[in-house]
Amino acid sequence: MNHLKIITREELDALTSKRDGETKLGETVQCLDITDWQDSLKASTASFVLLGIPEDIGVRANYGVGGTQTLWQPALKAILNVQDTALLRGNQIVVLGAFDFAAMMEESKGKKAEELRESVSHIDDAVFPVIKAIADAGKIPVVIGGGHNNAYPILKAISKSKGRAVNCINLDAHSDYRSVEGRHSGNGFRYAKMEGYLRRYAVVGLHRNYNSQNMIDEMASDPDIHLSFYEDVFIEEKNSFKNVLDNAIRFTAGTPVGVEIDLDCIERTLSSAATPCGISSLQARQFLFYAARFTEAAYLHLPEGCIRLEDGREDRMTAKLASYLVTDFMRNCSNRQTTFIQ
């Protein structure tokens, strides 16, 4: 498929640090036949498929700071060097590879936001069939990197594969429900809902400072949208974080559920919209524990994180954070339960 680059065993080995007496996930993960990856994927016994989307066009199309193309490779390396244990075996994971948008990224330099939105539509067209092929093979996509614009083609693909609209839980400071004005990182869920791919949408941890009153009013009036605010939980203490998660899980029950964490909601995590006041890494991991264990999780999407921003800021710890989130999700999907623990 156009733009997709399948990773090889040699490339995985080069990213894995081996040590006597230990086994890393990178030594036991599965990879696919480059000549026929879709049939190879169908034959695989793995449950999860790791896929990178290294692009920042969607972020810049939303007037954000670029850099989200930098997370995938360091995050993959961090995941491959996690220990293979009884709780998570590498043979449960296929590493598919990543999209190669290098030429598109080069062409996008210096373009205005309005021009970039056309390129985002091309990214949609590239991402959709790959995610659908993963879902059609009965696997769970785990998608890392890029902007939150990619929620739209992921939801579209899962919906098409399942033959119905799906639900989604998003841990995010922003609703990403901006108007239909051309595709970008701020309106993926709007497009997915408008086109019938997203049924019920629960957003956890919204920041009151960064969501307009018009948008809040519109979303609050929609019975298929559930909102919870960071300030209500952590400042005013009107509700507990666990209860908020319980409500979101109950709201989205009954269909496959997309699980999203916008990494810019996690305190001091490098992103185009980094926050000094947000969800802690511990709370993000708790979110994934509950979302993976108590929903019919159809995918995990970790967008918006960066190792390096185009304005020069750097923080390589984002990759290690991503490895914790990915492995938490996989471990708890494998121990799925139907009743939420009170």
Side-chain angles (χ1 to χ4, degrees), residues 125-305:
D125 293 341
V127 171
F128 162 73
V130 176
I131 299 294
K132 185 173 184 298
I134 295 169
D136 286 347
K139 315 299 183 188
I140 298 175
V142 175
V143 185
I144 300 171
H148 224 156
N149 44 291
N150 295 303
Y152 164 71
I154 296 171
L155 284 164
K156 178 180 177 181
I158 299 297
S159 173
K160 290 282 191 181
S161 179
K162 303 296 184 183
R164 56 176 168 163
V166 297
N167 295 341
C168 183
I169 299 176
N170 179 26
L171 183 65
D172 202 337
H174 316 90
S175 66
D176 291 339
Y177 208 73
R178 291 183 184 276
S179 62
V180 176
E181 57 188 2
R183 290 281 296 114
H184 57 65
S185 67
N187 60 20
F189 299 100
R190 166 84 71 172
Y191 273 81
K193 198 162 190 307
M194 179 184 71
E195 296 181 11
Y197 307 125
L198 173 60
R199 179 172 170 261
R200 284 193 153 192
Y201 179 38
V203 196
V204 176
L206 287 169
H207 285 206
R208 293 195 180 277
N209 285 6
Y210 296 105
N211 293 274
S212 72
Q213 189 63 56
N214 288 341
M215 191 188 304
I216 292 169
D217 290 345
E218 180 188 358
M219 295 179 77
S221 68
D222 188 331
D224 286 328
I225 296 178
H226 176 77
L227 307 178
S228 65
F229 288 88
Y230 176 91
E231 289 80 7
D232 289 346
V233 176
F234 299 107
I235 307 301
E236 299 180 32
E237 297 184 326
K238 295 177 181 178
N239 211 340
S240 71
F241 188 52
K242 186 174 180 180
N243 192 51
V244 163
L245 296 181
D246 185 9
N247 291 338
I249 287 167
R250 293 180 189 277
F251 183 77
T252 54
T255 73
V257 176
V259 179
E260 302 260 353
I261 297 186
D262 187 325
L263 295 181
D264 70 19
C265 79
I266 303 175
E267 194 170 279
R268 296 183 178 87
T269 296
L270 194 66
S271 71
S272 65
T275 181
C277 179
I279 294 294
S280 70
S281 57
L282 170 60
Q283 290 154 351
R285 295 184 67 187
Q286 289 173 330
F287 167 81
L288 277 182
F289 166 77
Y290 288 111
R293 185 162 289 197
F294 299 107
T295 72
E296 187 185 340
Y299 71 83
L300 173 64
H301 184 206
L302 301 180
E304 300 287 330

Side-chain angles (χ1 to χ4, degrees), residues 14-69:
L15 293 171
T16 305
S17 300
K18 299 177 182 179
R19 185 168 181 170
D20 289 344
E22 299 181 2
T23 304
K24 306 288 183 64
L25 292 180
E27 298 176 75
T28 54
V29 293
Q30 300 183 31
C31 56
L32 301 179
D33 182 348
I34 294 176
T35 61
D36 194 354
W37 70 267
Q38 292 190 58
D39 282 346
S40 181
L41 181 61
K42 290 175 184 176
S44 168
T45 58
S47 300
F48 306 100
V49 179
L50 276 176
L51 175 67
I53 310 183
E55 61 84 25
D56 69 356
I57 296 173
V59 170
R60 290 184 287 120
N62 192 31
Y63 305 108
V65 181
T68 51
Q69 78 279 14

